[in-house]
Amino acid sequence: MDALDRLYRSLDARPRPEDVAVLVLEALPSLKRRERAVINGVAAHASRLHGFSGMSDDYARPVGAARQVAATRRLFEMDDVVDVEAPLSVLEFAALAGAGIGFDPEHADFLADRLNRDARASAGIELSKRQYNRRFRVLRRLSAKADRLGRAQELRRATLLASAGFVGVIDRDRFRADPDAACFVAYFTARRKLRREFSLAGRENPFDQVADVLLERCRSGTDWAMIALAHPVWDVLRHLSAEQLGELLGRWSAATRSIASVLGELWRTSDVDRATMIVRSGVDSSTWNAYAGAYNAARTAWIACLHAAGLTSLLEAAWPGKTMRVMAADLAWWHEQTGGGLHPDTAVWASLPLPWEVLDGTATCTRSFVEVACRSHGVDPQRAGWTAPRKHGLIARFRPTPELVHGVAVSDPLWAMALRRAHAFSGKPLRTEVFGGQDLPG
């Protein structure tokens, strides 16, 4: 497997930018001296601490239904083909297996949906109650697994969309056909995938000196449409044809609406204080933040495409706002103790109609209304990305990827692994047995 293939595989993973820079040097032998010096300055950090890191180089991958399918096959003596990684295929297998006992995956409640003795007799089911219940339980577990698998896969797709755009639709041949564009996409998305650090500063600009060098190499003949899937900004979008821009606009529009719908469902079952977006310990903030990040990324790209196409007037009467991520109470307390407070966008978010209600037409929110709300809370609507594509400032300066334990930077990866096993900084009770029963050092 050559460097380009490894770069392609990195699109669906979470490598460190410095590790991607090493592959870029290998994939682009025609680099000029200045370009090579810039990229080598970042790639040199890949060997820091002998290249060892305690952090995963991938996003969590959902576990398929192989175990549940195997149990169902043994019990029902079936050998039908099923894709254990595809929720729909698993549900179809459950329905096929359950046909003989009147099982419906859509009605799998153990107390409400089982057949009683008379119903089993009428359906011609000659199993004993014990054997029938056993089969019902197995199919119920299989159906539940298919549902969990589907939700986990959707969450992973949303997470990747937030940090890498639509790189998942890029096929291998297209990626390999344009090495310069491919290297930019791989490196820039690696920068976007960096974990959030538990700090008072905002998220770092992913466009650093290496991204700048790689994008500068892209000239006429570059597959700009591929780059736009990961980096939909004006400097890239202006190179697209009307057809390419229209296709990308459609992708981001559909993604914005789809993710907003999921957020609406999550919001209706939550008890988050909209005025602060602070959550207590034990609340599933990860799912909300993953979808909120995906929605904001999709919305930003959608607006950027509308601006590039000169079509922002289409949203004038129904302009959806951004969605705020939730914040842990300890981080909010830290902000307050250091003289800070809630992000100004929080007040704007709280004063506007919910974005999913604007998108489905149940609430009205014009662009002018968003502008008034922003200014009333001291926020520039364009610079903050509420009514215009957000622009990054100066090119960021690369710094080595830190070892993080729940967002807290730790200098040594082995120490970080010990702290992670001990549940340090997680909000959970500290496992002192990791340190031989002693209190946490320091």
Side-chain angles (χ1 to χ4, degrees), residues 294-308:
Y295 167 80
N296 288 331
R299 175 189 174 277
T300 296
W302 181 29
I303 292 175
C305 290
L306 286 169
H307 271 264

Side-chain angles (χ1 to χ4, degrees), residues 45 47 51-52 65 72 80 95 122 167 226 232 246 249 303 341 366 378 385 394 415 417 432:
H45 293 286
S47 59
F52 176 75
T72 304
D80 296 70
S122 298
V167 295
M226 181 172 75
L249 175 59
I303 292 175
T366 65
L394 299 175
W415 178 232
M417 291 174 69
T432 56

Side-chain angles (χ1 to χ4, degrees), residues 340-399:
L342 295 175
H343 194 287
D345 278 357
T346 306
V348 179
W349 138 267
S351 65
L352 293 174
L354 295 167
W356 43 90
E357 294 181 353
V358 175
L359 288 166
D360 66 18
T362 58
T364 301
C365 183
T366 65
R367 179 175 180 173
S368 61
F369 186 36
V370 175
E371 291 172 342
V372 169
C374 287
R375 293 192 177 102
S376 67
H377 295 289
V379 174
D380 185 317
Q382 292 193 7
R383 292 186 63 184
W386 283 94
T387 59
R390 193 165 188 171
K391 298 180 180 179
H392 290 297
L394 299 175
I395 296 172
R397 188 71 184 170
F398 174 85
R399 65 187 182 97

Side-chain angles (χ1 to χ4, degrees), residues 149-167:
L149 177 61
R151 284 187 277 110
Q153 289 176 346
E154 289 174 0
L155 181 61
R156 190 175 192 275
R157 282 193 291 269
T159 302
L160 280 169
L161 185 73
S163 57
F166 280 112
V167 295

